[in-house]
């Protein structure tokens, strides 16, 4: 388990700037397979051999999201799950977004 995955998401109450490109880059190195899109959100696609396994993964992600109080956008289709994460309160990325990405990878 990565060091990021061991951390806890911190609720954002606004009033903080999104991470800089340099800060995002350093954290992105810790979550291989994820990408920063439009400087705004993290994205990753996962593939599965069937719909049932993809759905089970979505449910596990939902459990993690609830326990962390940080909820990604999920796209489910046959054999594929797309995940997008960002901090809505500041309309950008915080460390908590990378923490959630690491926790999802650990599933």
């Amino acid at each position: 388990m990565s060091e990021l995955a061991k951390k806890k998401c911190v609720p954002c109450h606004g009033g903080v700037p999104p991470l800089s490109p340099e800060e995002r880059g350093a954290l992105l190195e810790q979550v291989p397979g994820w990408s920063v899109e439009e400087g705004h959100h993290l994205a990753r696609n996962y593939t599965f051999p069937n719909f049932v396994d993809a759905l089970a993964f979505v449910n596990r992600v939902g459990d993690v999201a609830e326990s962390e109080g940080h909820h990604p956008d999920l796209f489910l289709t046959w054999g594929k799950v797309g995940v997008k994460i960002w901090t809505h309160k500041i309309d950008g990325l915080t460390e908590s977004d990378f923490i959630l990405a690491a926790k999802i990878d650990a599933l």
Side-chain angles (χ1 to χ4, degrees):
M1 179 180 285
S2 74
E3 289 303 310
L4 271 178
K6 295 176 185 174
K7 292 184 173 186
K8 185 88 174 138
C9 291
V10 178
C12 180
H13 301 287
V16 297
L19 294 173
S20 70
E22 296 79 19
E23 292 168 319
R24 291 191 313 252
L27 290 167
L28 190 60
E29 290 177 7
Q30 299 179 57
V31 286
W34 289 85
S35 62
V36 174
E37 295 188 347
E38 301 173 16
H40 177 266
H41 58 272
L42 289 174
R44 180 161 185 188
N45 290 316
Y46 295 87
T47 57
F48 299 90
N50 55 53
F51 184 81
V52 171
D53 289 348
L55 179 59
F57 178 73
V58 165
N59 288 325
R60 290 192 309 272
V61 170
D63 290 341
V64 169
E66 277 298 299
S67 71
E68 292 296 316
H70 196 38
H71 302 89
D73 287 356
L74 301 170
F75 174 77
L76 169 65
T77 188
W78 194 99
K80 181 178 171 186
V81 175
V83 183
K84 285 189 179 180
I85 305 170
W86 74 95
T87 300
H88 295 255
K89 194 77 166 180
I90 63 166
D91 198 29
L93 290 167
T94 65
E95 183 184 42
S96 289
D97 300 308
F98 291 87
I99 291 169
L100 183 59
K103 288 180 180 289
I104 291 170
D105 281 346
L107 294 175

